Amino acid sequence: MIWFAQLAMNGRFQAIALVMLSVTSAFFSWLGAAVIGLVTLRKGIGEGGFLLLWGFLGGVFLYVKLGDVNPIMQLSGTFFLAVILRRTVNLAVAVLACVPLGIILVLFLLWLSPPMIDQVVAAFSELISSLNRQMENSGRIFSLDPPGERLVIGMIGVANLATAILCLFLARFWQAALYNPGKFGVEFRVLRYPPLVTFPLAIGFALVSSMQGYQSWAGFFGLPLTVAGISLVHAKAQYWKAPTLGLSLFYLVWLIVDWVKLGVLLLAVVDSAYDFRSNWSKGNMPERNSQNDEKSNDL
């Protein structure tokens, strides 16, 4: 997909065309968001903001026609995170910014898209009712409760926030691939938070997870920890004999097994206190200081 990024960087007209084509499709709006992130990181906030305005035209079209607000959230979320990354030149800070961004997205959902939320709640209710009928027919005595509006709002907000983070990573990967190959991998593998950041996130995650009807909102606190935990796995993978295969298996298990997701969060918390990377490298791993060494000469 590097050719896609090259085309976007060839000129303003090409970038606008790619964003408009992507955003008018509900399934490919993430590509337009990544292009906006790339332009913001490479050419500046003004150019990225100009492209965002064009992207909003396609997003508004989808909202008016289908009531789908997701493209607008993905575009604006990716742009916001790209601005933070460009200003701070720190991937960890940019990911941490998803916590206040999540609050903004929830308020945006409450204000702009009640019809979409109602449709999602109705679809979940119908699905769960069908599952309950099947379980009754099979003789099982327990039943599932349909999610409420607050739970659905959190699910949609977390999903769009995760998409914005992934779009930012794709934009940063494109930028590094075009102008400084390998730099994104270095930055991602050293992503780590100190205890002063990690423990409040973990406490927030635990508290919100225990609140009835708001369990999905815990994802706003869990996303930075998840990214930090996955970063640690990538750092460890450098010492595996088959890192590509190992990471593929890890992601497969992580997607399927819920307790592995929780384990990744806990891993990030423990790593904030013990810094496993320093023990693995034994002082011989140059990447630990690379974020300070060339910080981001391609930004």
Side-chain angles (χ1 to χ4, degrees):
M1 294 177 60
I2 298 299
W3 64 270
F4 197 89
Q6 289 174 329
L7 185 60
M9 297 304 294
N10 282 340
R12 178 180 283 184
F13 176 78
Q14 291 93 321
I16 292 173
L18 290 174
V19 170
M20 292 294 290
L21 288 173
S22 301
V23 173
T24 51
S25 169
F27 297 101
F28 295 101
S29 57
W30 57 273
L31 273 174
V35 169
I36 291 174
L38 172 62
V39 172
T40 303
L41 291 175
R42 183 62 185 177
K43 295 186 176 181
I45 298 172
E47 281 293 317
F50 176 79
L51 200 58
L52 177 66
L53 292 177
W54 280 95
F56 272 163
L57 293 178
V60 170
F61 172 80
L62 280 180
Y63 175 70
V64 172
K65 292 294 183 181
L66 304 176
D68 186 2
V69 75
N70 291 314
I72 295 177
M73 297 174 67
Q74 293 168 14
L75 294 177
S76 55
T78 303
F79 174 73
F80 174 82
L81 296 178
V83 169
I84 299 297
L85 178 56
R86 182 175 175 85
R87 291 292 191 185
T88 63
V89 199
N90 190 312
L91 199 61
V93 173
V95 173
L96 188 61
C98 76
V99 178
L101 177 60
I103 298 174
I104 296 173
L105 292 181
V106 165
L107 295 175
F108 184 74
L109 278 170
L110 290 171
W111 171 57
L112 198 58
S113 63
M116 184 186 74
I117 295 171
D118 293 339
Q119 292 173 6
V120 175
V121 170
F124 270 113
S125 299
E126 183 177 350
L127 175 62
I128 291 176
S129 297
S130 177
L131 292 175
N132 285 336
R133 287 194 296 268
Q134 293 178 13
M135 287 189 292
E136 288 177 3
N137 294 334
S138 63
R140 299 182 182 180
I141 58 175
F142 65 91
S143 61
L144 301 173
D145 295 326
E149 180 178 318
R150 293 168 296 180
L151 196 65
V152 169
I153 289 174
M155 292 167 59
I156 296 174
V158 170
N160 281 286
L161 187 58
T163 302
I165 294 174
L166 291 175
C167 288
L168 175 71
F169 286 174
L170 179 58
R172 183 68 187 100
F173 168 77
W174 280 344
Q175 183 191 22
L178 290 174
Y179 306 106
N180 196 349
K183 182 67 175 177
F184 172 72
V186 172
E187 291 176 345
F188 182 70
R189 287 191 292 269
V190 299
L191 194 155
R192 174 180 170 270
Y193 294 109
L196 190 61
V197 173
T198 301
F199 286 103
L201 287 175
I203 293 171
F205 179 84
L207 289 176
V208 178
S209 295
S210 63
M211 297 173 61
Q212 185 64 31
Y214 290 93
Q215 293 91 336
S216 60
W217 294 42
F220 296 125
F221 297 96
L223 279 174
L225 295 177
T226 297
V227 173
I230 292 176
S231 168
L232 181 64
V233 174
H234 275 256
K236 181 62 176 178
Q238 296 177 97
Y239 303 97
W240 296 344
K241 292 183 179 180
T244 302
L245 177 61
L247 287 173
S248 299
L249 292 174
F250 162 74
Y251 279 113
L252 179 62
V253 175
W254 179 79
L255 287 171
I256 296 175
V257 183
D258 287 339
W259 67 263
V260 174
K261 297 182 180 67
L262 182 59
V264 169
L265 268 71
L266 295 175
L267 189 62
V269 175
V270 176
D271 179 55
S272 69
Y274 290 97
D275 192 3
F276 294 122
R277 294 173 183 85
S278 61
N279 296 325
W280 295 336
S281 62
K282 298 180 181 179
N284 295 321
M285 189 173 170
E287 292 173 352
R288 279 192 55 78
N289 296 321
S290 61
Q291 207 167 10
N292 295 324
D293 289 341
E294 293 171 57
K295 279 206 170 178
S296 194
N297 52 16
D298 55 335
L299 282 181

